[in-house]
Structure formats: structure tokens, C-alpha cells
Amino acid sequence: MRALVMGGTRFLGLEVVRQLLDAGHEVTVFHRGSRHPWWEAHVTTITGDRTVPDDLRRLAEVRPDAVLDLSAYTSAQTEILLDALGDAPRWVHVSTLNVYQPQQVLPWVEAMPYGPYPFWGNYAVEKIGCERALRTQRTQRTVSLRFPLVLGPGNFLPREEFVLNRLLDRATILLSGDGQAVHQYVWIEHAAHALVAALELDVDGFAAFNVASRRCMTSLEGFVGVCAEVSGTVPDVRRVGGGATGNDREQFDNANCVFPFSNENTFADLSAADAAGLLSPYMSLHEMIRAALEHLQENPERRRWTRTEAERAAMGRIGIQDAG
């Protein structure tokens, strides 16, 4: 297929492009030009701002068989792209489990109602808006993949490295609440596989799938334990209370957190994705963390870290002295 990737120059996007090329697709990447990756095979690149209609009109020349949208974070971004490429016969959208209104009964299924759940702030509001725009404006084959926390080497959100750096430097790790909430994870290559495989799905209109790595889930405390086992360290863990965020805030903030995951259960049913062939073979969380640790050790600049303001405030609240 002629595949147009929106985004595609960092982390998950790089892996998606690699797998598209491996599958023999013709790939065009639309991005802002802030990064210039090197690919082993030919990739056509178009630079521009996806919020500018004139920039998007140039994409009509690509005449894509499929659009893989990795960079739609607002409903307006989805709507303006639909205006430019509404005739593309296939569309694959990166979504999130945060679109759901959480239920007490786990796991969550695709038929659950939308939120927004205030805890996830405007991110959830806009991701729901993206899906609604795709539902109402398209009659072609449209697939939305709802991912949990994505793990992988070089993660632009310091999830694994947040914990590993503190363990390697024998620094105290703070757990929000009681640290027992369960999260699912998806390995970067598994997420990319699902996105590429979704191109082949014969869906009627819009279809959504929960996608995560098989049997890959643990609590906050359990995640620290796996990181400690892989890195050969002894964790110094303190539970700080403070609700799901560790500081009693109404919303979770990735950029200023006590721990990189909230103490709030996020666990979805994967049976539909499994039946559709979107799931990859089992890979242990230990293997995922080992790959992240190797990347961290190979890139010493990523070993530099500082405590977040949220951490410092929580430590002050419970009387821990640690410059971090």
C-alpha cells in the first residue's frame, strides 16, 4: 500500500515506519522537520504543520491507500486532516485507554462508554474528540487502537528510565497512594505490529480495539520490583499516600509526577484484538526492562536526572531528606 504516516520521526513512529518498510509498503512521512531520522529503505518525507490547511493540501498528491495517524492529539487535528484526505480508503488512529469512563469491574471492554474522566484532563477530552470525528465523518475502513502505557528503549516519556535511574543511584523511589494499582503495558514493537496489521483489517466503518502486550501487567510496586531485579539493585521504596497522583491532585501530570504511572487501575480486555490478529507473541516485562536498561547504559546522557517538584513536595511531606 501507499501508506502515509502522520508523525513517525521518534519512538513509536520510527518503529512503525520500519515495520511498514519491512512489509513492503511505500511510505510517506509527514512531520514538522524537527527531526531527520535515517531509514534503511527509501522514505518520502513531507514537512509541514498539520494544523495548517495549506500544508495538508500537499498530501493529496500522495494519494495514500492508508493513513496511519500517530500525531493526532486534538479533535481539530483529526478534523482538518479528514478535510484534506477524507477519501483515503483506510485509516488507522493511535488512541488510548484513557478515552473510557473507568468502571470498577475489570478488564475494560471496547463497548464501555466514553468519558472524559477528569483525572486524565484535556488529553482524554481531545482523544475522545478524535475518535468521534472519525466515527461521524468516515464511511471507509477506520481502526482506532487504544493503547495503555507504551514501553521501549529511548522512550520520550521517561517511564522505565524514571525508575531505573533512581535505582542505579540508590535513590528513594516514591509510590503514589499505596502503590498497588495495576497497569497494562505495550512493548513498542508490539504496538507498531498492531498498527501495521490494522491496515489489513476488513472492518465496516469504524472499529476500536484495546491493544497491549500479552500478560504484561503489574502494580506500581511490582514494576519497581522488576526494574530492581533486572538492574541488580535493592529498591528503597516509600509509599507517600496522596491519592492516585501521590500529591492529591485532580489530574495526573506526566511532566511533574511522583511516580511515572498513576495509582489508578488501568486494565483492558484484549480478546477482540487477539481475534483480529493484532497481538504479538508473549514477551516478559523483564525482557522489556532489560532492553530499556541496555539503552540507558549505552546513552550516558540519559543517566542525568533530577527530582520532580512533585517528588520534592511529597518527600518534604513525609520527612525524607534527599537532594536527588
Side-chain angles (χ1 to χ4, degrees), residues 74-90:
T74 69
S75 56
Q77 289 174 335
T78 297
E79 290 164 0
I80 193 173
L81 188 61
L82 285 168
D83 289 342
L85 293 170
D87 58 349
R90 295 174 185 266

Side-chain angles (χ1 to χ4, degrees), residues 172 174 238-240 311-322:
T172 300
L174 310 180
R238 293 288 299 270
R239 297 171 182 80
V240 299
E311 281 183 289
R312 293 181 185 278
M315 295 175 84
R317 191 176 71 241
I318 63 176
I320 298 179
Q321 299 296 321
D322 180 354

